[in-house]
Amino acid sequence: MPEYRKVSVESVPNTPNPTREKRELDEAVGASEFGFNVFTADPGEQVPWGYHRHPDHEELFYVLSGELRVETPEGNFLVEADEAFFVPRNAPNRAVAAGEQPCRFVAVGAPKDADSAIIEEECPACAEETDRSYEQVEDDGRTVYVLSCAECGVETRRFE
C-alpha cells in the first residue's frame, strides 16, 4: 500500500544555504526519485553556492512570486511569476533573485540521486576556475557560511 504524505511548506525546517529560506519538501515527504525545494531569496541572493552544473541531473525553476535571473553561458534569462525555466543536465547556471522584492520559487530536479553540483568559478586570488568548499562559522552570534577556493583555500564569499 502506498504511503501518502502531506506537509505544510512552513513546517519544513530551513536548510542552510545562501538564500533566506530553502525548504526541502522532497526530504520531508520521503521522495526518492526527484528533488523538490521551495526557496525564498532576497534581492541579490543566489542559488546555490555559486555558478555550477549538475552532470547527470536536470532542473526546473518555477517562480511563484518576484523575479529570478538565471545566468548561463548563452546569456541571462529573467524568469517572472508564473514562468518556468528548464536547465538541462550538465548545463552551467546560477540563479539570482532579481528585482526589488524577494523571489519565491520552486526548484525541481531529477534524478534525485544524481544531484551533485560542480561549482566552477574563477577564484579572485589564484585566477583558477575551481570548486568551492564551505564551512559554517559563528560570527557575532550569527551563523555564517564561508566559501573558499578548493585550489588555494582563499575565502571567496560569506553568506548568513
Side-chain angles (χ1 to χ4, degrees):
M1 191 64 138
E3 241 186 272
Y4 299 100
R5 296 189 181 112
K6 176 183 171 183
V7 298
S8 159
V9 173
E10 294 305 313
S11 73
V12 175
N14 188 17
T15 302
N17 76 99
T19 64
R20 183 194 322 167
E21 291 180 349
K22 177 185 179 189
R23 310 289 179 162
E24 295 180 341
L25 275 79
D26 56 328
E27 297 296 325
V29 300
S32 61
E33 300 298 319
F34 62 92
F36 190 103
N37 301 304
V38 177
F39 288 89
T40 302
D42 290 324
E45 290 181 335
Q46 69 178 21
V47 177
W49 303 101
Y51 195 74
H52 72 291
R53 61 187 171 83
H54 299 279
D56 299 307
H57 181 84
E58 297 177 326
E59 282 186 293
L60 181 73
F61 299 122
Y62 176 69
V63 176
L64 301 166
S65 63
E67 299 175 332
L68 188 67
R69 182 180 67 248
V70 183
E71 301 169 358
T72 76
E74 295 176 8
N76 295 337
F77 297 86
L78 186 64
V79 187
E80 299 177 297
D82 208 26
E83 292 183 334
F85 186 84
F86 174 71
V87 179
R89 65 183 68 222
N90 211 34
N93 73 94
R94 173 188 7 242
V96 179
E100 297 184 19
Q101 302 298 317
C103 181
R104 187 168 166 90
F105 64 99
V106 174
V108 179
K112 184 176 177 164
D113 63 353
D115 73 345
S116 62
I118 297 171
I119 298 173
E120 296 173 319
E121 291 185 322
E122 184 176 309
C123 174
C126 70
E128 294 293 321
E129 276 202 13
T130 65
D131 199 354
R132 299 291 187 258
S133 61
Y134 78 92
E135 66 177 321
Q136 184 176 332
V137 299
E138 292 298 317
D139 186 9
D140 289 333
R142 302 178 329 243
T143 300
V144 176
Y145 298 89
V146 179
L147 297 184
S148 300
C149 173
E151 182 70 24
C152 69
V154 167
E155 180 180 317
T156 59
R157 187 171 288 148
R158 288 178 170 245
F159 298 103
E160 287 186 38

Short mmCIF file of all heavy atoms in Angstrom, two decimals, residues 16-17 49 119 132-137 144-149 157 159:
data_model
loop_
_atom_site.label_atom_id
_atom_site.label_comp_id
_atom_site.label_asym_id
_atom_site.label_seq_id
_atom_site.Cartn_x
_atom_site.Cartn_y
_atom_site.Cartn_z
N PRO A 16 20.37 25.08 5.59
CA PRO A 16 21.44 26.05 5.36
C PRO A 16 21.76 26.20 3.87
O PRO A 16 21.98 25.22 3.17
CB PRO A 16 22.64 25.45 6.09
CG PRO A 16 22.03 24.57 7.13
CD PRO A 16 20.77 24.03 6.52
N ASN A 17 21.75 27.44 3.41
CA ASN A 17 22.06 27.77 2.02
C ASN A 17 22.18 29.29 1.93
O ASN A 17 21.89 29.99 2.88
CB ASN A 17 20.96 27.22 1.10
CG ASN A 17 19.70 28.04 1.13
OD1 ASN A 17 19.48 28.85 0.26
ND2 ASN A 17 18.87 27.85 2.13
N TRP A 49 25.46 27.70 -4.08
CA TRP A 49 26.68 28.31 -3.55
C TRP A 49 27.48 29.03 -4.63
O TRP A 49 28.43 29.71 -4.33
CB TRP A 49 27.56 27.26 -2.88
CG TRP A 49 26.86 26.53 -1.80
CD1 TRP A 49 26.32 25.27 -1.89
CD2 TRP A 49 26.58 26.96 -0.48
NE1 TRP A 49 25.74 24.91 -0.70
CE2 TRP A 49 25.89 25.93 0.18
CE3 TRP A 49 26.85 28.14 0.22
CZ2 TRP A 49 25.46 26.05 1.50
CZ3 TRP A 49 26.43 28.24 1.53
CH2 TRP A 49 25.74 27.21 2.16
N ILE A 119 30.75 23.27 -8.74
CA ILE A 119 30.86 24.72 -8.79
C ILE A 119 32.15 25.05 -9.54
O ILE A 119 33.21 24.49 -9.22
CB ILE A 119 30.88 25.34 -7.39
CG1 ILE A 119 29.57 25.04 -6.68
CG2 ILE A 119 31.13 26.85 -7.46
CD1 ILE A 119 29.53 25.47 -5.23
N ARG A 132 34.25 25.07 -4.86
CA ARG A 132 34.33 25.76 -3.58
C ARG A 132 34.06 24.77 -2.46
O ARG A 132 33.26 23.85 -2.61
CB ARG A 132 33.28 26.88 -3.49
CG ARG A 132 33.43 27.97 -4.53
CD ARG A 132 34.67 28.81 -4.29
NE ARG A 132 34.74 29.95 -5.16
CZ ARG A 132 35.51 30.01 -6.24
NH1 ARG A 132 36.24 28.98 -6.59
NH2 ARG A 132 35.55 31.10 -6.97
N SER A 133 34.73 24.97 -1.35
CA SER A 133 34.41 24.24 -0.13
C SER A 133 33.72 25.26 0.78
O SER A 133 33.85 26.46 0.58
CB SER A 133 35.66 23.66 0.52
OG SER A 133 36.55 24.71 0.86
N TYR A 134 32.97 24.77 1.76
CA TYR A 134 32.36 25.72 2.68
C TYR A 134 32.40 25.19 4.09
O TYR A 134 32.48 24.00 4.32
CB TYR A 134 30.93 26.08 2.27
CG TYR A 134 29.88 25.05 2.62
CD1 TYR A 134 29.19 25.11 3.82
CD2 TYR A 134 29.57 24.02 1.75
CE1 TYR A 134 28.22 24.18 4.14
CE2 TYR A 134 28.61 23.09 2.06
CZ TYR A 134 27.94 23.17 3.25
OH TYR A 134 26.99 22.24 3.57
N GLU A 135 32.39 26.13 5.02
CA GLU A 135 32.31 25.77 6.43
C GLU A 135 31.35 26.72 7.12
O GLU A 135 31.16 27.86 6.69
CB GLU A 135 33.68 25.79 7.09
CG GLU A 135 34.32 27.16 7.19
CD GLU A 135 35.64 27.15 7.93
OE1 GLU A 135 35.76 26.42 8.93
OE2 GLU A 135 36.55 27.87 7.50
N GLN A 136 30.77 26.25 8.19
CA GLN A 136 29.83 27.03 8.98
C GLN A 136 30.59 27.58 10.17
O GLN A 136 31.25 26.84 10.89
CB GLN A 136 28.70 26.09 9.44
CG GLN A 136 27.60 26.75 10.18
CD GLN A 136 26.50 25.74 10.50
OE1 GLN A 136 26.30 24.76 9.81
NE2 GLN A 136 25.80 25.99 11.59
N VAL A 137 30.52 28.91 10.37
CA VAL A 137 31.22 29.55 11.49
C VAL A 137 30.25 30.46 12.22
O VAL A 137 29.23 30.88 11.68
CB VAL A 137 32.46 30.36 11.02
CG1 VAL A 137 33.47 29.46 10.34
CG2 VAL A 137 32.07 31.49 10.10
N VAL A 144 27.30 31.89 9.92
CA VAL A 144 27.75 32.37 8.63
C VAL A 144 28.38 31.20 7.89
O VAL A 144 29.08 30.38 8.48
CB VAL A 144 28.79 33.51 8.81
CG1 VAL A 144 29.35 33.97 7.48
CG2 VAL A 144 28.17 34.68 9.57
N TYR A 145 28.14 31.13 6.58
CA TYR A 145 28.74 30.11 5.74
C TYR A 145 29.86 30.77 4.95
O TYR A 145 29.65 31.76 4.26
CB TYR A 145 27.69 29.50 4.80
CG TYR A 145 26.63 28.82 5.61
CD1 TYR A 145 25.51 29.52 6.04
CD2 TYR A 145 26.78 27.50 5.99
CE1 TYR A 145 24.55 28.91 6.82
CE2 TYR A 145 25.82 26.88 6.79
CZ TYR A 145 24.71 27.59 7.19
OH TYR A 145 23.77 26.99 7.98
N VAL A 146 31.06 30.20 5.05
CA VAL A 146 32.24 30.75 4.41
C VAL A 146 32.64 29.83 3.27
O VAL A 146 32.91 28.65 3.48
CB VAL A 146 33.40 30.90 5.42
CG1 VAL A 146 34.64 31.45 4.74
CG2 VAL A 146 32.99 31.79 6.59
N LEU A 147 32.67 30.38 2.05
CA LEU A 147 33.13 29.62 0.88
C LEU A 147 34.60 29.91 0.65
O LEU A 147 35.05 31.05 0.80
CB LEU A 147 32.36 30.04 -0.37
CG LEU A 147 30.87 29.81 -0.40
CD1 LEU A 147 30.32 30.19 -1.77
CD2 LEU A 147 30.54 28.37 -0.10
N SER A 148 35.34 28.87 0.26
CA SER A 148 36.76 29.01 -0.02
C SER A 148 37.10 28.32 -1.33
O SER A 148 36.45 27.33 -1.71
CB SER A 148 37.59 28.38 1.10
OG SER A 148 37.32 29.03 2.33
N CYS A 149 38.12 28.81 -2.01
CA CYS A 149 38.60 28.20 -3.24
C CYS A 149 39.17 26.82 -2.94
O CYS A 149 39.99 26.67 -2.02
CB CYS A 149 39.67 29.10 -3.87
SG CYS A 149 40.50 28.37 -5.30
N ARG A 157 33.64 34.05 -0.46
CA ARG A 157 32.33 34.64 -0.21
C ARG A 157 31.80 34.17 1.15
O ARG A 157 32.15 33.11 1.63
CB ARG A 157 31.36 34.21 -1.31
CG ARG A 157 30.03 34.90 -1.24
CD ARG A 157 29.19 34.60 -2.47
NE ARG A 157 29.74 35.29 -3.62
CZ ARG A 157 29.69 34.82 -4.86
NH1 ARG A 157 29.12 33.69 -5.12
NH2 ARG A 157 30.21 35.50 -5.85
N PHE A 159 28.00 33.94 3.43
CA PHE A 159 26.53 34.01 3.43
C PHE A 159 26.05 33.87 4.85
O PHE A 159 26.59 33.10 5.63
CB PHE A 159 25.92 32.86 2.63
CG PHE A 159 26.29 32.84 1.19
CD1 PHE A 159 27.24 31.95 0.72
CD2 PHE A 159 25.70 33.71 0.29
CE1 PHE A 159 27.58 31.92 -0.61
CE2 PHE A 159 26.03 33.68 -1.04
CZ PHE A 159 26.98 32.78 -1.49
#
